[in-house]
Amino acid sequence: MVITIYGIKNCDTMKKARAWLDGHAAAYAFHDYKASGIDKASLARWVKEHGWETVLNRAGTTFRKLPDAEKQGLDAQKAIALMQAQPSMIKRPVLDLGQGKTIVGFTPEVYEAALAEK
């Protein structure tokens, strides 16, 4: 099964993750969710596996620029709606290893361990 890495093309963390995958000869497909969007089912799966608090990038500029009213009362459904409307609010990268296993964010040691299991 092919690994899919989700993110935004020009993100520095994405560049590091893709360089790491290339350096370890890991075959992967890249899904730019800023250019191609992201479906609600994928977001719901990631939120179910990791929690919306992990998947929603609250430190990013896009989230910080939201009106306070939109930041209030956040829960999984509201976070999913925000991320689907503005994919740059999704923490990057999301590495889909298949079989319902994903990794949010990039840490070389975590990627190494995950690929060793594949």
Side-chain angles (χ1 to χ4, degrees), residues 39-50 77 80 83:
D39 60 286
K40 187 176 181 178
S42 292
L43 287 169
R45 229 177 26 256
W46 300 343
V47 166
K48 183 178 180 183
E49 186 177 354
H50 302 282
Q77 292 302 90
I80 289 169
M83 291 184 284

Side-chain angles (χ1 to χ4, degrees), residues 92-110:
R92 303 177 289 273
V94 175
L95 188 69
D96 187 340
L97 299 164
Q99 300 172 340
K101 177 147 174 59
T102 57
I103 298 169
V104 178
F106 172 66
T107 306
E109 298 79 15
V110 173

